[in-house]
Amino acid sequence: GAANDAAADTGGITVKSGDGDKTWQWLDATDSWTSSEHIRIPDGKVFGFTPDTNTHISRPAADTIAFTHGGNQRVHISSTQTRIGSQAATDTTSHTIQLSGFANDDSILSLYNPTSDQYESVRQGFFFKNSNNNATEFARIQSTAMDTTAATVKGDLRFYTTNGADSPHMGEKVRITSDGKVGINSTAPAAKLDVIGDTKLQGNVSV
């Protein structure tokens, strides 16, 4: 049929209001419809895609948003919990963050840094902080890329804690090197177990 001017650039629907016009407008520059007001979806409805009804965003309950792919929830965010993975629709842990894999598959959290840099410039880890107004960091588990060359890739795993003497900086307490050496208070262990400081062993020791 004939072209509809409502779909021309900046065309659309305008509702006159004493509080200001309310518009639903088409913009060529963004190739999209733009609303001057909030858009809210009623209960039982989803924000989805015409050719793929198995993929959508929904609100399964109050204060909850869910992302569904392939007909199954993959992300479920509520006021008390964030669930990610194949079991996102079900609370299987009662913990704040739940990560689940498919049946008979591993559940793995991967930390990825898209760089070929190495040594101390490339660190990934888990930081533990509190919320006493300054977000003090009190412990850390960290990996360090010691060599990113494909044929000789190497990485260390380090454990940090802090106390009054260390604050405000972390103090490294344990390091596991790429060749399997473990250092306690040693950042360069020279043996399978390298301890700097007093050591107490209880029980039998076999040599």
Coordinates of all heavy atoms in Angstrom, one line a residue, residues 6-13 24-34:
A6 N 3.7 8.0 9.3 CA 4.0 7.8 10.7 C 5.3 7.1 10.9 O 6.0 7.1 11.9 CB 2.9 7.0 11.3
A7 N 5.8 6.3 9.8 CA 7.0 5.6 9.9 C 8.2 6.3 9.2 O 9.3 5.8 9.1 CB 6.8 4.2 9.2
A8 N 7.9 7.5 8.7 CA 9.0 8.3 8.2 C 9.9 8.8 9.3 O 9.5 8.8 10.5 CB 8.4 9.5 7.4
D9 N 11.1 9.3 9.0 CA 12.0 9.8 10.0 C 11.4 10.9 10.9 O 10.8 11.8 10.3 CB 13.3 10.3 9.4 CG 14.4 10.7 10.4 OD1 14.4 10.0 11.4 OD2 15.2 11.6 10.1
T10 N 11.4 10.7 12.2 CA 10.8 11.5 13.2 C 9.3 11.5 13.2 O 8.7 12.2 14.0 CB 11.3 13.0 13.1 OG1 10.7 13.6 11.9 CG2 12.8 13.1 13.1
G11 N 8.8 10.6 12.4 CA 7.3 10.4 12.4 C 6.9 9.5 13.5 O 7.7 8.9 14.2
G12 N 5.6 9.4 13.8 CA 5.2 8.5 14.8 C 3.8 9.0 15.4 O 3.0 9.6 14.7
I13 N 3.7 8.8 16.7 CA 2.4 9.1 17.4 C 2.8 10.1 18.5 O 3.7 9.9 19.3 CB 1.8 7.9 18.0 CG1 1.5 6.8 16.9 CG2 0.5 8.2 18.8 CD1 1.1 5.5 17.5
W24 N 5.9 8.5 20.6 CA 6.4 7.2 20.1 C 6.9 7.5 18.7 O 6.1 7.7 17.8 CB 5.3 6.2 20.1 CG 5.7 4.8 19.7 CD1 5.5 4.2 18.5 CD2 6.5 3.9 20.5 NE1 6.0 3.0 18.4 CE2 6.7 2.7 19.6 CE3 7.0 3.8 21.7 CZ2 7.4 1.6 20.1 CZ3 7.7 2.7 22.2 CH2 7.9 1.6 21.3
Q25 N 8.2 7.6 18.5 CA 8.8 8.2 17.3 C 9.8 7.3 16.7 O 10.6 6.6 17.3 CB 9.4 9.6 17.7 CG 9.9 10.4 16.6 CD 10.5 11.7 17.2 OE1 11.4 11.7 18.0 NE2 9.9 12.9 16.7
W26 N 9.7 7.3 15.3 CA 10.7 6.5 14.5 C 11.9 7.4 14.2 O 11.7 8.6 13.7 CB 10.1 6.0 13.2 CG 11.2 5.3 12.4 CD1 11.8 5.9 11.3 CD2 11.7 4.0 12.6 NE1 12.7 5.0 10.8 CE2 12.7 3.8 11.5 CE3 11.4 3.0 13.5 CZ2 13.4 2.6 11.4 CZ3 12.1 1.8 13.3 CH2 13.1 1.6 12.3
L27 N 13.2 6.9 14.4 CA 14.3 7.7 14.1 C 15.2 6.9 13.1 O 15.7 5.8 13.5 CB 15.1 8.0 15.3 CG 14.5 8.9 16.4 CD1 15.4 9.1 17.6 CD2 14.1 10.3 15.7
D28 N 15.4 7.4 11.9 CA 16.3 6.7 10.9 C 17.7 6.6 11.5 O 18.4 5.6 11.2 CB 16.3 7.5 9.6 CG 15.0 7.3 8.8 OD1 14.3 6.4 9.1 OD2 14.8 8.1 7.9
A29 N 18.2 7.6 12.2 CA 19.6 7.6 12.6 C 19.9 6.4 13.5 O 21.0 5.8 13.5 CB 19.9 8.9 13.4
T30 N 19.0 5.9 14.3 CA 19.2 4.8 15.2 C 18.4 3.5 14.7 O 18.6 2.5 15.3 CB 18.7 5.1 16.6 OG1 17.3 5.5 16.6 CG2 19.5 6.3 17.2
D31 N 17.7 3.7 13.6 CA 17.0 2.6 13.0 C 16.1 1.9 14.1 O 16.0 0.7 14.3 CB 17.9 1.5 12.4 CG 17.2 0.5 11.6 OD1 16.2 0.9 11.0 OD2 17.6 -0.7 11.5
S32 N 15.3 2.8 14.8 CA 14.5 2.2 15.9 C 13.4 3.2 16.3 O 13.4 4.4 16.0 CB 15.4 2.0 17.2 OG 16.0 3.2 17.6
W33 N 12.4 2.6 17.0 CA 11.4 3.4 17.6 C 11.9 4.0 19.0 O 12.6 3.3 19.7 CB 10.1 2.6 17.9 CG 9.4 2.3 16.6 CD1 9.5 1.1 15.9 CD2 8.5 3.1 15.9 NE1 8.7 1.1 14.8 CE2 8.1 2.4 14.7 CE3 8.1 4.4 16.0 CZ2 7.2 2.9 13.8 CZ3 7.2 4.9 15.1 CH2 6.8 4.2 14.0
T34 N 11.6 5.2 19.3 CA 12.0 5.8 20.5 C 10.8 6.4 21.2 O 10.0 7.1 20.6 CB 13.0 6.9 20.2 OG1 14.1 6.4 19.5 CG2 13.5 7.6 21.5

